[in-house]
Amino acid sequence: MAGMLQEQTKIRRDAWLISVTMLALFLVVWHLSTLRAAFDPKGFTEDQLQMMEFNGDILRMAEGGYAWNPEKEKVKGVPGPLAVLGKIRSELSEAFVKKGTNDHGIAYLVLYTVTRFGAGFLVASVVAIILGVLLGLNKVLFQAVNPFIQILKPISPLAWMPLLLYTVKDPKWTAVLVVFMAAIWPTLATTAFGVNSLRKDYLHVAAILQLSWFKRLFKVILPGAAPTIVNGLRISFGSALVAVVPAEMLLGELGVGYLSWIEWNNLDIAGVIFAILVVGVVGVVLDSGFNKLAGLVTYQE
Amino acid sequence: MAFLEIDHVTKYFPSSSGNGQVCIFKDATIKIDKGEFVTTIGHSGCGKSTLLNIIAGLETMSEGAILLNGREVSGPGLDRMVVFQNFSLMPWMTVFENIRLAVRAAYPDWDREKIAAHVHKYIELVGLKGAEDKRPTALSGGMKQRVGLARAFSIEPKVLLLDEPFAQIDALTRGVIQEELVQMWNSTRNTVFMVTHDVDEAILLSDRIMLMTNGPSARIAEIVDVTIPRPRSRDSIIEHPHYYKIRNHIIHFLVRHVSHGAVGGVAELEQPMDAVPLVVRF
């Protein structure tokens, strides 16, 4: 026991060391490959230098000599890690500031995205579980509905967007509905499967004990199918998270996905990288929350 | 009047080729008295578990009837509780919750405390005190079936149906639980219908043992009266002069019916299909 525990600790420590080394290596390589030498006026004529200054490529320093124009540098090549760090610092310092109707701090953007994602995912899950239980309990209904599920399932949720936008005429609700469309199919399909393939023994016990319809559903069927349902929810969760970013981009709804697009329009590449990192962090936090909830309802046979 | 009457029960399954039917067993008939312990032995495929499921109401019969207390029963009910071969405990519930589910269903007007006390009484009876909050995964096969027995006895059913209850339990534990079952049954004296492969188990527990021929079209060929007096225990029963007579008789029967070929044909010549079961008394 102690030996195994020790080995576990060793594996964890080694893995952690490797992770840190990989990150450090990546940052160093990134930094070096995006480094630009200071401006060297040697080899340029005075006319050329004046033209470059006129174009805004370089600045004349107060103490004489020239340097690259930092504003222009922003859009030359990929920004280095230090530039991104600076961006992160400035964005986080203004996390709770609303500068204008389209320029909200990052905390607000995260809140908007999480709300949008949460609403779409929750409603889709409830609808999918109810429908899935009905289909799982009724073989005829299942076979009747299955062809439609098979056709609708592979459609990218974004493909629905124009139609949804045209129908509901409101980008805010369209974004939620895109998340809904992304999240409903996996949960629906696995719930129907999980309920349908629930071990007959459990239903036999429920039948002998003459459990009411309600008790049968909440004491036997749902908890029995819970591990399968959770697997479906996990897939739905992932695809909803993937769908929410482009939905925001295309609909221009404020959120972390929209942030990435706005920064691109501003040609602020450091801002784009910052937005990508935020999407990643939001995903990790939501995912670990989901796993905690999933652990409560799953069981081992 | 018999307490539990199995009256010419016949079961057909659709044949695997698609059209037509296969007769699993035919005209199973036996009258079981209140408090009697009856066991069925036969080779795999003779339909003995199907017969048990029909009595439980979990499967339908093709012909015949099951009468309990003179009334025909259809569908499952709390008066006929099954102890399953694979335990059939809900893996998401603790030991306590598994039994409570049954007790609540059987006594809907009891309050919380009364239900809990009843559950604890039966947990203690099967020696699982301290394991109340464990889930079935954390239990050995023997302990799981103790929970199954506690669940079945706790609702005090009129008929207890044991479907190869100890088949998945290791031999040493099996003997111990068999003895525990004898003790529990001695205090409750439920009417029991058991299905098993284990000849020693059948003799230890039963008043009568039904011997079934092989399927398809299996039937009850013999009913063995076990007259060895109770209380019985595994140690003392083998000392009884009739023990090995009964055991040998049953094993000879099973060996004779081991194949569907010529030997079975001979057996059928001895006893035509419509014969009433031979009653053998030791």
Side-chain angles (χ1 to χ4, degrees):
Chain A
M1 244 352 237
M4 245 173 75
L5 211 70
Q6 217 165 24
E7 198 173 338
Q8 288 274 319
T9 328
K10 189 179 166 343
I11 288 174
R12 206 170 304 150
R13 196 192 53 209
D14 289 358
W16 191 79
L17 260 169
I18 294 172
S19 293
V20 171
T21 317
M22 279 162 76
L23 179 65
L25 256 163
F26 171 73
L27 288 175
V28 168
V29 171
W30 182 17
H31 177 69
L32 292 178
S33 62
T34 51
L35 213 56
R36 286 246 290 174
F39 181 69
D40 182 7
K42 217 186 281 168
F44 292 105
T45 64
E46 195 54 37
D47 281 353
Q48 279 172 325
L49 286 173
Q50 271 180 11
M51 183 53 82
M52 283 164 81
E53 193 190 352
F54 179 73
N55 281 341
D57 289 331
I58 53 175
L59 293 177
R60 193 191 291 271
M61 297 283 98
E63 62 272 22
Y66 296 92
W68 295 112
N69 180 355
E71 280 307 309
K72 206 95 189 233
E73 282 309 287
K74 273 189 186 173
V75 292
K76 268 194 194 147
V78 177
L82 293 175
V84 173
L85 195 67
K87 178 72 180 175
I88 292 173
R89 206 176 282 157
S90 75
E91 283 288 348
L92 291 184
S93 67
E94 295 174 341
F96 294 96
V97 180
K98 285 186 185 176
K99 284 185 187 158
T101 43
N102 258 351
D103 192 0
H104 291 187
I106 187 66
Y108 289 107
L109 298 186
V110 169
L111 179 71
Y112 301 150
T113 298
V114 169
T115 312
R116 185 171 294 132
F117 165 83
F121 177 71
L122 277 182
V123 176
S125 300
V126 170
V127 172
I129 290 173
I130 292 173
L131 284 179
V133 169
L134 287 175
L135 297 184
L137 290 176
N138 190 326
K139 283 195 168 59
V140 180
L141 200 61
F142 179 74
Q143 290 201 3
V145 175
N146 197 32
F148 300 110
I149 296 179
Q150 294 308 322
I151 289 176
L152 294 172
K153 198 168 67 170
I155 299 173
S156 161
L158 296 170
W160 292 97
M161 206 160 65
L163 183 64
L164 294 172
L165 194 54
Y166 174 75
T167 322
V168 302
K169 296 187 174 59
D170 182 312
K172 207 184 317 162
W173 290 110
T174 304
V176 175
L177 281 171
V178 167
V179 175
F180 176 89
M181 290 310 267
I184 192 164
W185 307 115
T187 306
L188 176 57
T190 52
T191 302
F193 172 76
V195 170
N196 185 247
S197 56
L198 188 65
R199 272 176 56 185
K200 292 288 166 285
D201 312 342
Y202 305 146
L203 298 175
H204 281 167
V205 172
I208 292 171
L209 296 178
Q210 305 275 289
L211 297 185
S212 63
W213 176 89
F214 184 82
K215 269 200 162 178
R216 210 170 285 211
L217 183 63
F218 285 99
K219 292 272 176 188
V220 179
I221 293 170
L222 281 178
T228 326
I229 296 176
V230 166
N231 277 338
L233 286 173
R234 198 188 304 280
I235 302 170
S236 284
F237 193 91
S239 75
L241 208 53
V242 167
V244 73
V245 168
E248 285 175 357
M249 283 183 180
L250 289 166
L251 291 162
E253 283 298 297
L254 281 183
V256 288
Y258 177 71
L259 173 69
S260 162
W261 194 250
I262 264 290
E263 297 291 29
W264 163 244
N265 282 340
N266 295 340
L267 275 180
D268 185 348
I269 306 303
V272 171
I273 294 173
F274 170 69
I276 292 170
L277 289 175
V278 173
V279 171
V281 170
V282 169
V284 166
V285 171
L286 287 177
D287 206 45
S288 74
F290 178 83
N291 284 336
K292 287 241 166 62
L293 286 176
L296 294 178
V297 296
T298 47
Y299 60 87
Q300 288 183 308
E301 289 240 13
Chain B
M1 191 174 60
F3 185 65
L4 175 66
E5 200 172 337
I6 300 164
D7 187 17
H8 293 91
V9 174
T10 301
K11 177 72 180 177
Y12 297 101
F13 276 154
S15 74
S16 50
S17 63
N19 42 8
Q21 292 179 318
V22 180
C23 176
I24 305 301
F25 55 83
K26 210 170 164 53
D27 284 333
T29 299
I30 187 172
K31 290 178 178 176
I32 300 172
D33 289 326
K34 192 169 181 142
E36 200 180 3
F37 198 122
V38 173
T39 298
T40 306
I41 290 190
H43 287 284
S44 300
C46 75
K48 53 193 191 304
S49 281
T50 308
L51 178 60
L52 183 137
N53 280 340
I54 288 172
I55 300 172
L58 299 172
E59 282 187 54
T60 55
M61 62 203 106
S62 308
E63 290 162 19
I66 304 286
L67 295 122
L68 181 60
N69 245 342
R71 281 205 190 156
E72 185 163 355
V73 292
S74 61
L78 285 154
D79 49 3
R80 285 154 290 135
M81 184 62 186
V82 181
V83 176
F84 297 87
Q85 180 179 358
N86 55 14
F87 321 124
S88 291
L89 303 173
M90 314 286 175
W92 56 91
M93 292 183 183
T94 63
V95 167
F96 181 83
E97 288 166 340
N98 264 290
I99 301 172
R100 187 180 60 183
L101 182 74
V103 175
R104 263 192 189 158
Y107 306 104
D109 42 352
W110 282 9
D111 60 25
R112 268 183 99 81
E113 286 78 38
K114 199 165 179 196
I115 287 173
H118 193 75
V119 173
H120 282 300
K121 180 181 140 195
Y122 280 90
I123 287 176
E124 220 161 307
L125 202 62
V126 293
L128 280 179
K129 201 164 191 256
E132 289 94 338
D133 295 328
K134 285 192 175 142
R135 282 176 209 281
T137 347
L139 303 179
S140 67
M143 287 168 92
K144 280 184 200 161
Q145 198 56 298
R146 285 191 174 101
V147 180
L149 286 169
R151 179 173 67 181
F153 275 99
S154 72
I155 67 170
E156 292 158 347
K158 288 179 182 153
V159 178
L160 205 55
L161 301 165
L162 310 179
D163 185 6
E164 301 187 37
F166 309 120
Q168 292 194 8
I169 298 168
D170 69 273
L172 289 173
T173 315
R174 190 186 304 157
V176 177
I177 302 189
Q178 281 166 357
E179 208 117 285
E180 288 173 7
L181 174 61
V182 171
Q183 282 167 15
M184 283 169 86
W185 181 76
N186 275 337
S187 61
T188 59
R189 289 283 168 163
N190 302 67
T191 308
V192 182
F193 183 87
M194 179 169 83
V195 162
T196 188
H197 280 122
D198 186 331
V199 177
D200 296 300
E201 177 175 301
I203 301 172
L204 173 69
L205 298 168
S206 315
D207 296 311
R208 284 191 287 165
I209 302 171
M210 291 163 44
L211 304 180
M212 283 180 87
T213 63
N214 282 3
S217 294
R219 64 205 162 72
I220 304 172
E222 293 184 13
I223 295 174
V224 179
D225 264 347
V226 184
T227 51
I228 299 173
R230 296 182 189 271
R232 302 172 188 160
S233 75
R234 282 185 307 141
D235 298 331
S236 60
I237 195 169
I238 52 174
E239 310 291 343
H240 195 276
H242 287 171
Y243 183 78
Y244 279 99
K245 276 192 207 160
I246 300 172
R247 194 173 190 279
N248 290 344
H249 179 83
I250 295 173
I251 286 175
H252 280 147
F253 175 91
L254 291 173
V255 170
R256 238 189 309 141
H257 287 86
V258 79
S259 75
H260 298 271
V263 183
V266 173
E268 273 176 29
L269 281 180
E270 288 169 5
Q271 280 182 351
M273 279 298 289
D274 54 351
V276 286
L278 191 70
V279 175
V280 188
R281 182 180 289 266
F282 288 93

